[in-house]
C-alpha cells in the first residue's frame, strides 16, 4: 500500500534527521505517511508550486564532506587522536572496521556485519593478556566501526540508520560519534545546531540500545554521552565535545510510542490517493489534503512541505504556533477567535475557557490602547 502511494520511483529512506522532525511533531499524519512511503518531499513540494528554501548550500556540504574525509583518513588516525582526549582511547591500540559507503544495495549486508561486530567484542576485547604480575587479565581494547547500519521501528515500519561512527571505549562501553561541519568558536556553538545534532544522536543511541538488547546484551552498555566532533574556531582543526542526550532520549521514546501505525493511516485513505510526482499538481494537492497535517511555524525549519502546509492553514489558529493552538483549544480559526474576543459569537462548551481568555486579552488591549 505504501509503495503504491509513492508511484514508480525509488523510495527515499528515513534518516535520523527525518525521524527527529517526525517525532518533534508526532500529530502530523501527513509527514508520517509521506516519509513511510518514501516520497521525495522536496520534489513533491516543487512540483505543486511550493518549493522549500532550507537546506545546506553545496559549499557547506563540500566543507562537511572534506572535514569528515580528513578525520577518517589513514584509518581514522586524526579522529582517534581527538577521541583519545574525551574517551580515553589509545590511538595505537584501537581497531578500525569500515563497513563501506552508503548504498541501498548493501543495506542488509552492512546491517548483518554491524550485528556481527557488536555480537563479538572489539578487536582484542576480552583477550587474555599478561598482567604486570604475570597473571592473566581481561584487557578491553578500543575500536571504531565506520559506516555502521542500525535499524529502528518507526510508526510500524523498520528504517535503516547510519551514524557516523560507533566507538568502543576501553572496557567495552559504546559511544555514538557524530561529525558535524558547524564550528565551535571560543568553546561555543550555535545552540539550534547543537540541539538538532543531539536529537539526531539520540536516535542512533536508541537504535543501538535496541540492537544490543536484541543480541542479548545490556542496552546500558551504550552510553547516553555522545561525542560531537566539529571544526574549532575558523579552521578545520577538530574539537570533540561530549553531550548528554538523556533528555532527548526520553522525549524520543515518548514521541515514538505516540506515532500511529502508518499502515493503518494508509489503509484509511480514500481510493485514488497518490503522491506520484508524475501526476498533475492539482491531483497531488487533492491527495495531500486527504491526509491530516499539523502545521506549526517550527515546521519551516524541518519539513520540505512546510510552505504548502502554511498556505493551507492560513487563517487557522494552528498557524500561529503551538502555544496559541494549545491555549485556544477548540477555536479553529482566527476569525472565530476575534468574534469570541469581541463577544459577538456565543462560545460552545469546549470554547468557554478560551473565550474568557480572549475577552480578558481584548479588555487589556483596550485599556492599554
Amino acid at each position: 500500500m505504501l509503495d503504491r502511494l509513492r508511484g514508480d520511483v525509488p523510495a527515499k529512506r528515513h534518516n535520523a534527521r527525518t525521524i527527529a522532525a517526525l517525532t518533534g511533531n508526532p500529530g502530523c499524519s501527513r509527514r508520517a505517511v509521506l516519509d513511510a512511503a518514501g516520497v521525495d518531499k522536496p520534489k513533491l513540494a516543487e512540483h505543486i508550486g511550493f518549493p522549500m528554501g532550507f537546506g545546506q548550500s553545496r559549499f557547506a556540504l563540500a566543507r562537511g564532506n572534506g572535514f569528515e574525509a580528513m578525520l577518517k583518513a589513514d584509518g581514522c588516525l586524526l579522529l582517534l587522536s581527538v577521541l583519545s582526549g574525551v574517551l580515553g582511547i589509545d590511538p595505537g591500540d584501537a581497531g578500525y572496521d569500515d563497513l563501506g559507503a552508503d548504498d541501498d544495495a548493501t543495506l542488509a549486508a552492512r546491517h548483518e556485519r554491524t550485528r556481527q561486530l557488536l555480537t563479538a567484542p572489539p578487536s582484542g576485547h576480552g583477550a587474555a593478556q599478561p598482567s604486570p604480575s604475570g597473571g592473566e587479565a581481561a584487557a578491553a581494547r578500543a575500536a571504531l566501526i565506520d559506516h555502521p547500519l542500525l535499524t529502528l521501528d518507526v510508526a510500524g515500519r523498520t528504517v535503516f540508520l547510519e551514524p557516523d561512527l560507533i566507538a568502543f571505549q576501553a572496557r567495552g562501553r559504546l559511544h555514538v560519534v557524530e561529525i558535524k561541519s558547524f564550528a565551535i568558536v571560543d568553546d561555543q556553538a550555535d545552540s539550534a545546531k547543537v540541539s538538532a545534532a543531539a536529537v539526531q544522536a539520540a536516535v542512533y543511541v536508541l537504535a543501538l540500545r535496541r540492537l544490543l538488547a536484541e543480541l542479548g546484551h545490556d542496552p546500558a552498555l551504550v552510553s547516553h554521552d555522545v561525542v560531537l566532533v566539529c571544526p574549532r574556531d575558523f579552521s578545520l582543526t577538530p574539537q570533540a565535545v561530549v553531550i548528554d542526550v538523556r533528555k532527548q532520549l526520553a522525549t524520543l521514546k515518548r514521541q515514538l510510542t505516540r506515532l500511529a501505525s502508518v499502515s493503518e493511516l494508509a489503509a484509511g485513505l480514500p481510493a485514488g490517493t497518490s503522491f506520484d510526482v508524475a501526476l498533475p499538481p492539482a491531483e497531488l494537492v487533492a491527495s495531500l489534503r486527504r491526509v491530516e497535517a499539523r502545521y506549526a511555524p517550527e515546521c519551516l525549519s524541518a519539513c520540505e512541505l512546510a510552505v504548502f502546509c502554511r498556505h493551507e492553514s492560513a487563517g487557522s489558529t494552528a498557524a500561529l504556533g503551538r502555544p496559541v493552538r494549545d491555549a485556544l483549544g477548540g477555536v479553529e480559526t482566527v476569525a472565530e477567535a476575534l468574534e469570541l474576543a469581541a463577544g459577538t459569537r456565543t462560545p460552545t462548551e469546549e470554547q468557554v475557557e478560551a473565550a474568557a481568555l480572549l475577552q480578558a486579552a481584548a479588555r487589556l488591549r483596550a485599556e492599554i490602547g
Side-chain angles (χ1 to χ4, degrees):
M1 173 64 182
L2 288 168
D3 290 339
R4 182 179 60 78
L5 289 174
R6 186 180 64 252
D8 297 327
V9 293
K12 292 277 288 186
R13 278 170 40 203
H14 261 302
N15 55 41
R17 184 176 284 107
T18 63
I19 293 173
L22 185 58
T23 55
N25 191 5
C28 186
S29 298
R30 181 177 292 168
R31 170 143 199 168
V33 169
L34 292 173
D35 281 350
V39 175
D40 188 334
K41 294 196 299 298
K43 187 176 291 186
L44 175 62
E46 184 174 359
H47 189 54
I48 62 176
F50 292 90
M52 193 64 193
F54 76 84
Q56 283 187 307
S57 70
R58 65 178 185 273
F59 304 107
L61 288 171
R63 173 183 166 87
N65 291 336
F67 181 62
E68 182 171 342
M70 179 186 74
L71 287 169
K72 292 183 177 181
D74 301 318
C76 285
L77 188 61
L78 178 57
L79 180 60
L80 282 167
S81 68
V82 175
L83 294 179
S84 65
V86 292
L87 296 182
I89 291 177
D90 182 355
D93 194 38
Y96 174 65
D97 287 279
D98 187 353
L99 304 191
D102 188 16
D103 187 338
D104 287 353
T106 64
L107 292 178
R110 287 169 56 216
H111 179 57
E112 182 57 32
R113 179 59 179 152
T114 302
R115 290 172 60 93
Q116 292 172 0
L117 288 172
L118 293 175
T119 300
S123 177
H125 178 79
Q129 297 185 5
S131 68
S133 62
E136 299 292 316
R141 296 177 63 189
L144 291 179
I145 301 178
D146 195 0
H147 298 111
L149 202 65
L150 309 172
T151 60
L152 188 66
D153 185 77
V154 180
R157 299 273 290 187
T158 299
V159 299
F160 288 99
L161 300 168
E162 183 182 339
D164 288 329
L165 285 157
I166 296 173
F168 290 86
Q169 191 183 6
R171 308 198 184 286
R173 201 77 192 274
L174 286 83
H175 294 260
V176 168
V177 179
E178 276 292 283
I179 300 171
K180 297 296 181 183
S181 61
F182 60 83
I184 299 175
V185 180
D186 293 333
D187 294 325
Q188 299 291 324
D190 185 300
S191 59
K193 292 179 179 178
V194 173
S195 177
V199 175
Q200 292 167 33
V203 174
Y204 297 134
V205 171
L206 181 61
L208 188 53
R209 285 183 172 180
R210 291 186 176 177
L211 177 57
L212 282 195
E214 182 183 327
L215 295 173
H217 299 305
D218 183 2
L221 288 173
V222 182
S223 176
H224 53 73
D225 289 329
V226 303
V227 182
L228 191 63
V229 182
C230 301
R232 179 190 301 156
D233 297 328
F234 301 101
S235 69
L236 288 179
T237 302
Q239 179 174 348
V241 294
V242 176
I243 300 176
D244 186 337
V245 297
R246 277 178 290 188
K247 179 181 178 181
Q248 289 83 357
L249 271 171
T251 301
L252 177 65
K253 288 189 283 189
R254 183 174 64 252
Q255 300 291 51
L256 282 174
T257 59
R258 292 176 58 189
L259 287 173
S261 168
V262 174
S263 298
E264 293 176 7
L265 289 173
L269 294 176
T273 301
S274 175
F275 307 109
D276 186 346
V277 292
L279 293 174
E283 290 187 31
L284 290 171
V285 169
S287 291
L288 285 170
R289 287 179 172 159
R290 293 169 187 158
V291 189
E292 182 183 2
R294 192 175 176 84
Y295 173 77
E298 295 87 347
C299 296
L300 290 169
S301 62
C303 181
E304 297 87 344
L305 276 174
V307 174
F308 169 75
C309 295
R310 180 180 62 180
H311 173 78
E312 181 185 46
S313 65
S316 71
T317 53
L320 302 177
R322 291 192 181 97
V324 175
R325 181 179 60 205
D326 294 342
L328 301 181
V331 182
E332 299 297 329
T333 68
V334 174
E336 280 183 276
L338 293 174
E339 291 172 358
L340 289 170
T344 58
R345 183 186 186 94
T346 302
T348 64
E349 184 177 347
E350 64 177 2
Q351 293 176 338
V352 170
E353 186 176 343
L357 181 66
L358 287 165
Q359 289 167 11
R363 287 194 299 271
L364 180 61
R365 181 178 177 83
E367 291 173 5
I368 295 175

